[in-house]
Amino acid sequence: MFTPKIPPPDTAPTPGTSLVPPLTGLVHPPACTCHHTPTAPAPAAPPARPTVQLTPGSLLVAAAGGTAMVLVVGTVLVSMLLATAITAASVAICAVVLRVLLNRPNNR
């Protein structure tokens, strides 16, 4: 009952044969019925890229924007750290108060 059942050798497919029959006799119609000769497309010129010119004013604006971004990200990270520290301190105080209340049941 628990032994594997192996198919007899005459029903198992051989490694050289395929289970899917090959497709034969299929003819694709042409994309269009007009009789023109295809022409080679002209080589496309690379698109002209705009050049970036840094003037002293734009350089000053970029530096001010970068400084503002650093200050905003720093403020957010410091506030998140402060919120975590305040939460940890309040949880520690609550744990101490609960421990004191539970260890002295006679003082009620």
Side-chain angles (χ1 to χ4, degrees):
M1 182 170 126
F2 293 109
T3 59
K5 306 261 188 300
I6 300 174
D10 59 341
T11 60
T14 59
T17 61
S18 174
L19 297 176
V20 179
L23 299 175
T24 57
L26 294 177
V27 178
H28 295 287
C32 64
T33 57
C34 56
H35 301 288
H36 61 82
T37 57
T39 58
R49 295 183 180 174
T51 58
V52 177
Q53 296 178 353
L54 292 177
T55 62
S58 64
L59 195 59
L60 185 64
V61 168
T67 303
M69 180 72 88
V70 167
L71 289 176
V72 167
V73 169
T75 303
V76 168
L77 291 177
V78 167
S79 65
M80 288 172 60
L81 181 65
L82 186 61
T84 304
I86 291 172
T87 303
S90 65
V91 167
I93 291 171
C94 289
V96 169
V97 169
L98 282 175
R99 184 176 178 185
V100 167
L101 289 176
L102 292 176
N103 284 337
R104 297 184 188 177
N106 297 333
N107 293 340
R108 289 185 193 176

